[in-house]
Amino acid sequence: MAHVNENYLKLPGNYLFASIAQKVAEFSKHHPDASIIRLGIGDVTRPLAPAIIQAMHKAVDEMGHADTFRGYGPEQGYDFLRQAIIKGDYHRRNISLDLDEVFVSDGAKTDVACIQEIFGQDLKFAVADPVYPVYLDSNVMVGHTGNYLADKGIYEQVVYLPCTAENGFKAQPPTEKVDIVYLCNPSNPTGTAMSKAELETWVKAAHDQNFIIIYDSAYETYITEEDIPHSIFEIDGAKEIAIELRSFSKCAGFTGTRCAYVVVPHACKAYTKDGKAVSLNPLWNRRQCTFFNGTPYVIQRAAEAYYSPEGWAQCQADVNYYMDNAHTIRDGLIAAGYTVYGATNSPYAWVQTPHQMKSWEFFDLLLEKAHVVTTPGEGFGPHGEGYLRLTAFGTKENTAAAIARIADLKLCK
Ligand code: MLT
């Protein structure tokens, strides 16, 4: 008799964005004429940049000829892309990396969900609250948490780091013992970003308290302020305590194309039960070689083209387009009387619900009355209650129309 993995039964509901999609589908069924504007999931709408498309076409043609055809690629990614990543994302910020410290993958969601596999079963972890749900759900599924406490909206044995208006939505280092901490900077969902000095505090805490930081910088391209680090490796001593995850989804429009990478420095170590230090790099390499046969060649050539001068400029134009939307959301909602955070170094705006409305209640109201899809803050954790997240990844026209519809409801006046 096969037994199920009962950890799955601890999960209270569906994956957040799947639940929202279901709710929206249900609404559409009953209101087929409603013109729904989606500012919920952070899915891009700009087409892939011409330089990227050109590189993909070329790579597709190569796959059609015996002398340039490629079969299984290296599990860690082709050297051409790893070199482009190191040069484009790290050398220009004076960070040196070895080629074998970079692991190309088919998406940061996969990496974020799987990275915990290289740590011990008794792993104790901390997450910001609110937080991107994959960090938490993936750890629940493998048994790194206790039960879900429905009345509190939290799991036993997880350390939650509250991010509130009072602390600028910035997680503070844990005061109790943990093994790893997930940090997303700029933050999904709140759109706020930690400064260099704040990140230095984290790196120091990781050294002093002996924990590893899983640093998700999927949104670093959206940083506009000088003092916000793009990589945790800009901080001295970070290579010993951090793993960094990056994605091509938001900087180059790859949400449907799928490519990302993880940096596991050789210097980053964890311990055996008897106290022996073990480098995490060969462990992640071993894991990838067993579980993964590499990102498709055509996709890696596409990602490489992002780093070409043309690709870089074209993608930056798209990032600017989305940031204009972010400002439309932020400024439009502030003018309508809302309190809005984020949207300065991030494509996400974090909006306080009016009159202390619950976040799902406000989500329903906006769907029903404005036909605008958002993401309720409570879906990201208990401290997300009282907020909604709006994404700037829509079209310019839809974003402006959505904000006008929300303002027209006059809920804050
Ligand atoms: C989000 O909306 O939080 C992200 O798009 C989800 C993801 O990147 O998987």
Side-chain angles (χ1 to χ4, degrees), residues 92-130:
R92 80 191 173 96
R93 301 197 186 280
N94 298 319
I95 298 163
S96 63
L97 288 179
D98 292 340
L99 204 64
D100 63 354
E101 293 181 308
V102 177
F103 296 86
V104 175
S105 75
D106 62 356
K109 188 178 186 179
T110 320
D111 293 332
V112 159
C114 298
I115 196 78
Q116 35 81 16
E117 289 176 20
I118 59 175
F119 297 97
Q121 247 316 311
D122 53 354
L123 180 80
K124 177 129 182 167
F125 70 98
V127 285
D129 171 21

Side-chain angles (χ1 to χ4, degrees), residues 206-217:
H207 276 282
D208 293 349
Q209 296 169 230
N210 211 358
F211 60 78
I212 303 284
I213 298 175
I214 308 295
Y215 191 78
D216 181 350
S217 52

Side-chain angles (χ1 to χ4, degrees), residues 117-351:
E117 289 176 20
I118 59 175
F119 297 97
Q121 247 316 311
D122 53 354
L123 180 80
K124 177 129 182 167
F125 70 98
V127 285
D129 171 21
V131 74
Y132 177 45
V134 177
Y135 308 153
L136 192 55
D137 290 4
S138 58
N139 275 287
V140 174
M141 288 168 173
V142 296
H144 290 156
T145 72
N147 287 322
Y148 183 68
L149 306 176
D151 53 332
K152 296 189 174 131
I154 59 171
Y155 289 91
E156 291 169 320
Q157 294 163 37
V158 176
V159 175
Y160 290 84
L161 308 172
C163 297
T164 61
E166 288 70 38
N167 64 20
F169 301 100
K170 291 169 189 177
Q172 303 301 308
T175 49
E176 59 189 287
K177 182 87 195 87
V178 296
D179 304 309
I180 68 172
V181 179
Y182 291 85
L183 275 188
C184 184
N185 195 40
S187 153
N188 178 14
T190 66
T192 50
M194 280 189 278
S195 68
K196 187 156 188 221
E198 286 161 338
L199 203 53
E200 277 167 354
T201 308
W202 267 99
V203 170
K204 184 173 180 323
H207 276 282
D208 293 349
Q209 296 169 230
N210 211 358
F211 60 78
I212 303 284
I213 298 175
I214 308 295
Y215 191 78
D216 181 350
S217 52
Y219 297 94
E220 63 78 31
T221 332
Y222 291 86
I223 292 171
T224 58
E225 290 177 324
E226 277 295 306
D227 192 35
I228 312 292
H230 289 250
S231 162
I232 193 165
F233 302 125
E234 288 176 48
I235 312 295
D236 286 343
K239 280 189 185 169
E240 286 88 51
I241 52 80
I243 291 174
E244 178 158 295
L245 299 100
R246 291 271 188 110
S247 167
F248 292 93
S249 285
K250 312 294 158 72
C251 65
F254 276 45
T255 53
T257 308
R258 311 306 301 150
C259 196
Y261 67 88
V262 183
V263 176
V264 189
H266 293 299
C268 189
K269 296 189 172 125
Y271 298 87
T272 60
K273 282 243 157 58
D274 51 10
K276 188 172 152 242
V278 177
S279 173
L280 293 170
N281 178 289
L283 268 56
W284 186 244
N285 185 50
R286 185 68 177 81
R287 191 266 174 207
Q288 289 300 82
C289 290
T290 304
F291 278 67
F292 188 54
N293 260 336
T295 306
Y297 174 70
V298 174
I299 303 300
Q300 293 196 55
R301 281 294 183 199
E304 181 195 26
Y306 163 68
Y307 296 102
S308 68
E310 304 75 31
W312 193 265
Q314 291 159 2
C315 290
Q316 193 53 53
D318 289 338
V319 167
N320 294 341
Y321 175 99
Y322 293 133
M323 280 313 284
D324 285 346
N325 287 347
H327 300 155
T328 300
I329 295 171
R330 185 191 63 196
D331 300 345
L333 291 182
I334 288 174
Y338 288 87
T339 302
V340 184
Y341 303 91
T344 297
N345 295 299
S346 161
Y348 295 131
W350 190 240
V351 182

